[in-house]
Amino acid sequence: MRALLGLGSNLGDRRAYLREAVGSLKGVVAVSPVYETEPVGGPDGQGPYLNIVVELDTDLDPRALLGVCHRLEAAAGRVRDERWGPRTLDVDILWHEAGPIDEPDLQIPHPRMYERRFVMAPLADIAPDLAPDGWAERAEGRVARLGWL
Ligand code: X6L
Ligand code: MG
Ligand code: MG
């Protein structure tokens, strides 16, 4: 099954956290370019993010893949304190072939990705034709439109 993950880091050696995470993932078929992005939401004064999107070919169902995401965050020493605060590593499931899923702790496709340039720009680089139900346009067209917002 195909799946897309969004990764972000804005604390410590950001590039190293992303590299470690990608290196630990099984079945990586594509990695987007790295985007340096202004933080969206959260407290003032946090530093810029590095964001990437990774495509996987995986045997894991969404629930099992969520466990992997949480393990990668823990391996990066992520401390959860402030909502939307700075973090060494954030790994979100953006899309999974086995979706859609709408549970309290797991929503696929990710319900807010379509609005976020820091997700859609790297996503469109590796999955330009992605167009889940409910999207007005595919990833490539969407990122072109977000470009001037
Ligand atoms: C209105 C109100 C509009 C809140 C948007 C959007 C809040 C996204 C939080 C929002 C709103 C978030 C990253 C980030 C976060 C990241 C960059 C979040 C939660 N993660 N900024 N902010 N990259 N650039 O990975 O996404 S925290
Ligand atoms: Mg996130
Ligand atoms: Mg997250």
Side-chain angles (χ1 to χ4, degrees):
M1 294 169 286
R2 292 297 165 129
L4 292 159
L5 303 181
L7 284 73
S9 172
N10 77 334
L11 205 58
D13 190 341
R14 301 172 297 164
R15 216 167 270 275
Y17 288 123
L18 296 180
R19 199 184 305 120
E20 275 292 307
V22 173
S24 312
L25 282 165
K26 291 182 181 139
V28 173
V29 297
V31 182
S32 76
V34 179
Y35 283 73
E36 186 160 40
T37 61
E38 288 305 312
V40 179
D44 287 343
Q46 61 176 319
Y49 278 82
L50 295 184
N51 283 111
I52 59 173
V53 171
V54 175
E55 181 178 3
L56 298 181
D57 182 7
T58 184
D59 297 330
L60 300 177
D61 65 27
R63 183 60 60 183
L65 187 58
L66 183 63
V68 168
C69 295
H70 290 157
R71 285 206 299 282
L72 291 174
E73 292 174 350
R78 178 164 178 181
V79 176
R80 292 196 174 261
D81 39 26
E82 239 172 326
R83 184 169 187 236
W84 299 339
R87 68 285 299 271
T88 54
L89 183 67
D90 180 45
V91 185
D92 296 325
I93 303 177
L94 301 175
W95 177 84
H96 193 297
E97 199 175 341
I101 294 177
D102 188 5
E103 293 171 15
D105 63 330
L106 180 61
Q107 290 137 293
I108 295 174
H110 193 292
R112 293 169 298 278
M113 64 190 278
Y114 190 67
E115 307 302 329
R116 294 181 183 175
R117 180 167 177 76
F118 68 77
V119 177
M120 295 303 293
L123 174 75
D125 288 335
I126 62 170
D129 293 324
L130 189 75
D133 288 348
W135 285 20
E137 55 190 339
R138 68 195 188 98
E140 187 172 58
R142 179 60 179 167
V143 75
R145 200 172 306 282
L146 282 171
W148 47 267
L149 291 179

